[in-house]
Amino acid sequence: TAGALFGDESNPVAGLMIGILCTVLIQSSSSTTSIIVSLVGSGSVSVQAGIYMVMGANIGTSVTNTIVAMGHLGDGDELERAFAGATVHDMFNFLSVGVLFPLEIITHYLYWLSLAIVGGGDDDRAGQGEKWEGPLKKIVGPLTKSIIVPSKSVPTYIAKGGSCDDFYPVTCVDNIIDYKNCADSKTEGASVGLISCDKKAGCPAFFQNGATQRDDQISGAVCFILGLAILIVCLIGLVTILQKMLMGTSTRIIYKATNLNGYLAMLVGAGLTILVQSSSITTSALTPFVGLG
């Protein structure tokens, strides 16, 4: 099964490469980490294997800002500066994993530290944790949920050895398309596949009653291509806007605003990443500034 493959503790390098590959494919270390956490929580992946995958996810996320740097291909000097700025994030992640990875293999200190933090998995702590949602997710979340809502139960079920065919065809009770009649596990006869419904936002645009596995796969591919196209347009627009901003008096203003002490700059970067819940967004926004000088 997928869970057995991911849970191969005998080869930490395999876990590292899985994390890198997944993050490169979906361009989001946050999503990869969330999937890993779900697999660990369901018991399909061990904590030790999950640690190596999370390390790999942090290496894979460094690809995003390198893609952003490619937006300066039209100017050799800008490309050189942008690529150098993007490489800072890459090397930081590479060196961090290069140091922590062998230490974890030898001592398993992260594993023991995680057990100490959560109290060894004491059941009395169940339900006490709270999930913090960043402001960017609150703004973008409703829009994305109106387009597509991926089902989190399907990957976990498949990782345990199940088949995706067991979820099809999609069935809504009495042909009423809403969360309660389609996606609520308490409703008898309701079944959703790869695309689910949200309790608050309802069923998204790509959800279809009676859909087959192929229908959901096509919908996912369309959303992927659409998201990739939007990403490219946004990157081109970001570079263009910044080029127009960095002219005349605005250049001097930005120079003064970014002329920070090194330690203060680190705190600003950490604060921005916490707010947007994505290091890729922070580094991708800063890379064009570096490229434009």
Side-chain angles (χ1 to χ4, degrees):
T1 65
L5 173 64
F6 290 167
D8 184 9
E9 298 175 19
S10 63
N11 194 347
V13 177
L16 187 75
M17 296 307 297
I18 289 170
I20 294 173
L21 180 61
C22 289
T23 306
V24 169
L25 288 174
I26 64 179
Q27 286 295 292
S28 174
S29 60
S30 300
S31 299
T32 303
T33 305
S34 298
I35 294 171
I36 294 170
V37 170
S38 298
L39 291 173
V40 172
S42 66
S44 299
V45 173
S46 66
V47 176
Q48 293 95 325
I51 290 172
Y52 301 128
M53 292 183 202
V54 170
M55 288 185 181
N58 280 279
I59 293 179
T61 192
S62 60
V63 174
T64 307
N65 53 340
T66 304
I67 295 174
V68 174
M70 296 297 104
H72 296 270
L73 281 171
D75 189 306
D77 293 334
E78 289 185 5
L79 177 62
E80 183 178 353
R81 289 193 295 266
F83 200 80
T87 306
V88 173
H89 184 225
D90 301 350
M91 294 309 300
F92 178 82
N93 288 340
F94 291 156
L95 292 174
S96 297
V97 173
V99 173
L100 299 179
F101 183 67
L103 285 177
E104 175 62 21
I105 294 176
I106 297 170
T107 65
H108 298 292
Y109 77 100
L110 285 174
Y111 170 72
W112 297 114
L113 180 61
S114 64
L115 287 184
I117 291 174
V118 301
D122 189 353
D123 292 336
D124 292 337
R125 294 173 54 89
Q128 293 182 9
E130 295 182 1
K131 184 178 180 181
W132 186 79
E133 189 175 17
L136 187 64
K137 191 172 183 179
K138 288 184 179 179
I139 297 172
V140 180
L143 176 61
T144 56
K145 289 177 181 178
S146 66
I147 299 173
I148 190 169
V149 178
S151 175
K152 297 180 180 179
S153 61
V154 176
T156 303
Y157 180 77
I158 294 174
K160 290 181 177 180
S163 173
C164 194
D165 296 332
D166 297 340
F167 293 88
Y168 292 95
V170 173
T171 305
C172 293
V173 178
D174 297 328
N175 292 323
I176 301 174
I177 302 178
D178 58 15
Y179 174 81
K180 183 178 181 180
N181 291 283
C182 298
D184 193 344
S185 58
K186 297 179 181 178
T187 303
E188 186 177 354
S191 174
V192 294
L194 295 170
I195 301 176
S196 183
C197 297
D198 184 72
K199 186 177 294 184
K200 295 181 180 179
C203 295
F206 280 93
F207 181 84
Q208 180 182 356
N209 184 22
T212 62
Q213 182 177 343
R214 181 174 176 79
D215 292 333
D216 279 359
Q217 289 174 343
I218 293 174
S219 298
V222 171
C223 288
F224 176 78
I225 296 172
L226 182 62
L228 188 62
I230 293 174
L231 175 64
I232 294 173
V233 171
C234 289
L235 291 177
I236 295 174
L238 178 64
V239 173
T240 303
I241 291 173
L242 289 176
Q243 285 176 335
K244 294 184 181 297
M245 286 175 58
L246 295 178
M247 293 180 181
T249 56
S250 60
T251 305
R252 293 191 293 271
I253 296 173
I254 293 176
Y255 279 154
K256 291 181 179 179
T258 56
N259 187 22
L260 303 174
N261 176 274
Y263 295 104
L264 182 58
M266 290 174 63
L267 292 176
V268 171
L272 289 173
T273 305
I274 291 173
L275 284 174
V276 300
Q277 286 289 285
S278 174
S279 60
S280 300
I281 293 176
T282 305
T283 53
S284 297
L286 293 175
T287 297
F289 280 106
V290 177
L292 295 169

